[in-house]
Amino acid sequence: MLVLGIETTCDETAAAVVERHDDGRATILSNVVLSQIAEHAAFGGVVPEIAARAHVEALDLIIATAMAEAGRDFGALDGVAAAAGPGLIGGVIVGLITAKAIALVHEKPLIAVNHLEAHALTARLTDGTPFPYCLFLASGGHTQIVAVRGVGDYVRLGTTRDDAIGEAFDKTAKLLGLGYPGGQRVEQEAARGNPSRFILPRPMLGRQDADFSFSGLKTALRLEAEKIAPLTDQDVADLCASFQLAVVETVVDRLRRGLKVFRQRFGAPAALVAAGGVAANQAIRDALLNLASQDQVALVVPPPSLCTDNAAMIAWAGAERLGHGLCDALDTSPRARWPLDQVGKPLPTDAGTAGVSPAIACPPAGRAGGRDARGPGEPADSVSPNTARSVVA
């Protein structure tokens, strides 16, 4: 099964071609990502209008590049997948309309992918992780602990009550004058700082729920910075190191609770999975590895290039859904907000249910080129090595 994926929900314009083999392995044939960092750096964050216009200008070339690197033409595809939300609505519209055009012209199924579901299923792309598993989804816009029980079957166990973890990193960077993108800058500064110099709070520590909160931590950091202003370079590094340590210890505590809730409700997880751009932070990855070892659960963290926004995860999520006989109508609408628990499941009774993604049952993907004889309900269970290519503006 060969699927083209398109990602335009924020400030990366991306296209990828992923092949799902008869035995369930996955191969990324191409994964092209065009970053818009240069366009947004002067503003200290993503400007939605600029992002949408940049997607319009770049997407056709990015798709052509992805198809050329994959060595395939549109006629060989079994489906076209695009991130239909959640995200900046202008960018979502650009990617979804482009996918609709390709699907219509070449008579291929359209799969409108939830961007969060794509992150949730990346562990199956890279490691063939079986269901159910516990997902820590951490990005600029989302911080959640989710029980991933199957394609389209997600139960949120914990979420942030205010800022997302990536947003907290970005605002910290802005406060300290580090520029954009903030998360990477804070991590770099933290590497040369003293994490014990400033005593910062660990929000929600020890609570019985599995929720997060980061607004108070940001406020505490600002107050510490104001006490010693003007800041030296070492002050900035020490503040970053203290902030990052507070985040790491908070994440470990919240995840330990999340895993306990998972076991109480669903039994032992097949793995603890981390996804989203924040999962690329090495200090967080190291802490997750230690937590998983202590908790005796396997840890799956995709490579950094597949943690941040990319189109390979969109293509794979499309292949997973198409493999279960699900596709979407050409009048499917883009969505700025789209919670995971509103994603359609591969069950006939869920199609068309109020509040659920309007996924429709479609015939199994054709055997163009003799690629896939899998039945619509048979899940993938293993993967082959894959690579990702990034193009930075």
Side-chain angles (χ1 to χ4, degrees):
M1 181 183 296
L2 198 69
V3 176
L4 167 67
I6 298 171
E7 159 60 29
T8 56
T9 59
C10 192
D11 61 337
E12 283 88 17
T13 310
V17 179
V18 171
E19 185 169 11
R20 176 180 166 182
H21 300 280
D22 292 354
D23 60 2
R25 293 178 302 110
T27 300
I28 298 176
L29 300 180
S30 63
N31 190 24
V32 183
V33 182
L34 176 65
S35 171
Q36 298 178 10
I37 288 177
E39 286 86 342
H40 301 286
F43 303 96
V46 179
V47 181
E49 177 65 18
I50 293 176
R53 290 179 180 273
H55 290 313
V56 171
E57 293 172 358
L59 186 55
D60 287 351
L61 178 59
I62 295 298
I63 292 173
T65 302
M67 295 298 292
E69 289 191 1
R72 303 290 196 276
D73 57 32
F74 291 117
L77 297 174
D78 292 304
V80 181
L88 301 177
I89 194 62
V92 175
I93 290 172
V94 173
L96 185 58
I97 287 180
T98 302
K100 288 179 179 181
I102 295 172
L104 180 63
V105 169
H106 297 282
E107 299 182 331
K108 303 297 180 181
L110 170 73
I111 308 99
V113 171
N114 180 296
H115 178 87
L116 303 182
E117 181 175 36
H119 277 305
L121 296 175
T122 299
R124 292 173 56 77
L125 166 65
T126 59
D127 292 79
T129 307
F131 300 121
Y133 51 86
C134 184
L135 169 71
F136 173 49
L137 177 57
S139 68
H142 305 276
T143 302
Q144 300 178 14
I145 300 175
V146 180
V148 181
R149 302 195 298 174
V151 174
D153 189 359
Y154 310 103
V155 179
R156 190 174 64 189
L157 305 178
T159 187
T160 180
R161 298 192 177 185
D162 39 63
D163 295 339
I165 187 170
E167 181 183 359
F169 269 94
D170 288 341
K171 288 182 177 178
T172 293
K174 189 171 184 179
L175 171 68
L176 298 177
L178 297 178
Y180 176 82
Q184 298 173 17
R185 303 290 176 84
V186 170
E187 183 179 8
Q188 291 167 2
E189 290 295 318
R192 64 181 188 85
N194 175 10
S196 302
R197 179 178 171 189
F198 299 98
I199 306 303
L200 299 175
R202 275 60 170 164
M204 313 292 279
L205 208 69
R207 290 179 61 100
Q208 292 303 301
D209 58 53
D211 287 346
F212 297 82
S213 173
F214 294 103
S215 61
L217 174 58
K218 290 187 313 176
T219 300
L221 179 83
R222 176 177 59 79
L223 293 175
E224 292 292 339
E226 289 174 349
K227 288 179 185 177
I228 60 173
L231 302 177
T232 66
D233 289 346
Q234 191 59 51
D235 291 335
V236 171
D238 292 346
L239 283 165
C240 287
S242 299
F243 169 80
Q244 182 170 268
L245 178 61
V247 169
V248 167
E249 292 185 352
T250 298
V251 165
V252 169
D253 177 80
R254 302 289 73 212
L255 274 176
R256 184 173 284 117
R257 179 59 191 169
L259 285 166
K260 183 175 181 180
V261 174
F262 188 106
R263 288 189 172 93
Q264 290 171 346
R265 297 181 61 179
F266 309 112
L272 170 62
V273 173
V278 178
N281 180 289
Q282 190 59 52
I284 291 178
R285 294 166 79 98
D286 291 344
L288 294 180
L289 182 61
N290 185 54
L291 169 64
S293 176
Q294 293 177 358
D295 213 58
Q296 297 183 330
V297 61
L299 175 68
V300 177
V301 185
S305 62
L306 295 177
C307 284
T308 54
D309 289 353
N310 65 91
M313 70 179 190
I314 303 298
W316 175 252
E320 289 263 62
R321 294 185 67 79
L322 192 59
H324 283 80
L326 291 177
C327 61
D328 295 88
L330 290 176
D331 62 355
T332 296
S333 299
R335 303 173 67 166
R337 297 180 60 83
W338 190 2
L340 264 177
D341 56 9
Q342 293 182 11
V343 175
K345 301 177 184 179
L347 297 172
T349 54
D350 285 340
T353 300
V356 176
S357 168
I360 58 175
C362 60
R367 297 188 49 161
R371 282 184 301 278
D372 198 345
R374 182 184 311 282
E378 187 177 351
D381 55 12
S382 62
V383 295
S384 65
N386 51 69
T387 58
R389 174 178 181 269
S390 295
V391 180
V392 181

